[in-house]
């Protein structure tokens, strides 16, 4: 028994747990869209690749699962780069799947021929083309893992027309399982150090960032605020993790809170322009940073305690320790 390349793609998406694909059909991805729907995956059609990729990007942020966007070759991929860059910068999981010309016609001036893998690479965590039809599931699995795990971002998969329209025996097509995130706690010694700083603080401040919202850490963060009774400051994308109506919300005294805090606890908040690059922090403040991405620790400010791990788990550790 054989499968078309389009069917291999659709079945791999289904095995990864994808339930919705956003896209625009055309040469050479029409067959892919039809195969996706035949697998029971909902296909939401757009008229512009930019809005399509933004929608998939937003889906990724809201669900925590990679948003999948299917577009045609050449200008389709070019226009979809808006959502790709948006996902990469905002740390939202997105997988862009782009059709491309036949491998046998590369360099011959094929229809909408474009160096798409190379074009997407600077703006993604992963950008690749399968070397054979039967390797499509493996490459898709790598793309979704790169997009969703660790620090989320964008990934790109290039699908040549002859791969989509070709066929392969089912016996050589690997079966892949659903995406399974791995969550880690922070170092217990670092937790104890952070808890000591918080216990001795006279004017602590909790800053709730976008990472807390993405990680669905509202229960853990609210429990910390209630137990510790410290003021908190949400960033724009961190709003709602703890209700704005909470009595400990310091948003109305934002500048004063940043200036007077002697211990600042950063929960999934990057110290970028939103937090004035840390320049409005109390220069003597001790900084505790919680983030899933080690390279983010200490950006623009000196960190006293770094807590790397899945934010809800780390916050639960802190709450238990204080």
């Amino acid at each position: 028994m054989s499968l078309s390349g389009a069917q291999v793609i659709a079945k791999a998406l289904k095995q990864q747990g994808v339930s919705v694909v956003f896209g625009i059909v055309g040469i050479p991805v029409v067959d892919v869209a039809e195969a996706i729907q035949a697998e029971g995956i909902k296909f939401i059609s757009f008229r512009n690749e930019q809005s399509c990729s933004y929608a998939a990007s937003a889906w990724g942020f809201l669900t925590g699962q990679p948003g999948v966007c299917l577009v045609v070759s050449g200008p389709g991929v070019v226009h979809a780069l808006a959502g790709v860059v948006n996902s990469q910068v905002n740390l939202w999981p997105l997988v862009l799947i782009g059709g491309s010309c036949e491998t046998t016609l590369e360099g011959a001036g094929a229809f909408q021929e474009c160096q798409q893998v190379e074009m997407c690479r600077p703006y993604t965590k992963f950008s690749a083309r399968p070397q054979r039809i039967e390797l499509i599931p493996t490459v898709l699995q790598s793309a979704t893992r790169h997009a969703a795990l660790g620090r989320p971002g964008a990934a790109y998969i290039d699908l040549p027309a002859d791969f989509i329209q070709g066929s392969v025996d089912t016996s050589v097509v690997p079966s892949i399982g659903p995406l399974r995130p791995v969550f880690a706690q922070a170092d217990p010694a670092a937790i104890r150090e952070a808890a000591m700083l918080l216990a001795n603080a006279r004017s602590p401040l909790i800053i709730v960032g976008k990472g807390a919202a993405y990680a669905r850490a509202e229960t853990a963060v609210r429990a910390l605020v209630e137990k510790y009774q410290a003021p908190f400051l949400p960033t724009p994308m961190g709003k709602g993790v703890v209700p704005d109506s909470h009595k400990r919300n310091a948003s109305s005294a934002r500048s004063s809170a940043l200036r007077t805090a002697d211990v600042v606890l950063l929960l999934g908040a990057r110290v970028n322009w939103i937090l004035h690059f840390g320049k409005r922090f109390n220069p003597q403040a001790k900084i505790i940073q919680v983030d899933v991405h080690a390279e983010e620790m200490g950006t623009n400010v000196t960190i006293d305690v770094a807590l790397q791990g899945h934010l809800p788990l780390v916050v639960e550790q802190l709450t238990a320790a204080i």
Side-chain angles (χ1 to χ4, degrees):
M1 181 178 176
S2 64
L3 293 171
S4 70
Q7 289 174 315
V8 172
I9 299 160
K11 289 183 180 297
L13 288 169
K14 185 75 171 181
Q15 290 170 357
Q16 284 281 277
V18 174
S19 60
V20 177
V21 171
F22 304 82
I24 296 181
V25 297
I27 298 172
V29 298
V30 175
D31 293 348
V32 178
E34 292 176 347
I36 284 170
Q37 293 173 83
E39 285 294 326
I41 299 172
K42 186 175 183 179
F43 185 81
I44 301 177
S45 183
F46 283 72
R47 296 185 178 182
N48 176 271
E49 288 88 0
Q50 186 182 59
S51 57
C52 175
S53 60
Y54 278 137
S57 176
W59 172 273
F61 173 72
L62 293 171
T63 66
Q65 298 294 315
V68 178
C69 182
L70 176 69
V71 297
V72 300
S73 59
V77 174
V78 172
H79 294 163
L81 276 175
V84 169
V85 175
N86 182 66
S87 289
Q88 186 72 358
V89 172
N90 282 293
L91 315 182
W92 297 355
L94 170 72
V95 174
L96 175 66
I97 301 175
S100 60
C101 71
E102 294 86 343
T103 55
T104 56
L105 295 178
E106 284 190 331
F111 177 69
Q112 296 185 168
E113 181 182 353
C114 186
Q115 298 301 312
Q116 293 160 189
V117 175
E118 292 80 1
M119 183 172 63
C120 292
R121 185 164 288 132
Y123 311 109
T124 58
K125 293 176 65 180
F126 178 88
S127 180
R129 170 193 287 183
Q131 294 303 303
R132 300 187 302 277
I133 298 174
E134 62 267 28
L135 295 180
I136 289 173
T138 305
V139 173
L140 175 65
Q141 186 176 48
S142 294
T144 55
R145 288 177 59 84
H146 277 82
L149 303 185
R151 194 184 205 191
Y156 174 70
I157 303 174
D158 196 66
L159 294 177
D162 49 336
F163 283 20
I164 293 171
Q165 296 158 7
S167 62
V168 65
D169 192 276
T170 55
S171 63
V172 299
V173 178
S175 177
I176 56 176
L179 181 67
R180 298 188 185 279
V182 178
F183 299 129
Q185 292 182 318
D187 180 1
I191 289 288
R192 291 193 293 270
E193 186 179 354
M196 185 66 69
L197 286 178
L198 291 169
N200 294 327
R202 292 181 176 274
S203 181
L205 177 65
I206 300 171
I207 298 180
V208 183
K210 177 172 58 180
Y214 177 79
R216 305 297 186 269
E218 51 269 15
T219 300
V221 174
R222 290 175 192 180
L224 173 65
V225 171
E226 293 296 338
K227 181 177 181 179
Y228 189 48
Q229 287 294 300
F232 71 91
L233 180 67
T235 64
M237 290 294 288
K239 283 183 174 292
V241 174
V242 182
D244 280 352
S245 58
H246 196 285
K247 63 181 180 180
R248 292 295 178 181
N249 189 347
S251 294
S252 60
R254 175 189 173 97
S255 295
S256 176
L258 291 172
R259 186 174 61 251
T260 60
D262 61 348
V263 175
V264 176
L265 175 60
L266 296 165
L267 299 180
R270 290 187 286 178
V271 188
N272 56 14
W273 64 274
I274 292 175
L275 290 175
H276 319 287
F277 309 102
K279 297 184 184 302
R280 297 188 186 180
F281 288 6
N282 175 0
Q284 280 74 51
K286 301 294 185 181
I287 310 294
I288 305 166
Q289 186 168 12
V290 181
D291 204 284
V292 72
H293 194 62
E295 285 82 349
E296 189 61 40
M297 303 293 188
T299 299
N300 294 320
V301 291
T302 299
I303 299 301
D304 294 277
V305 182
L307 301 174
Q308 183 188 3
H310 184 51
L311 200 137
L313 297 181
V314 176
V315 172
E316 288 173 0
Q317 287 179 279
L318 270 178
T319 303
I322 59 177

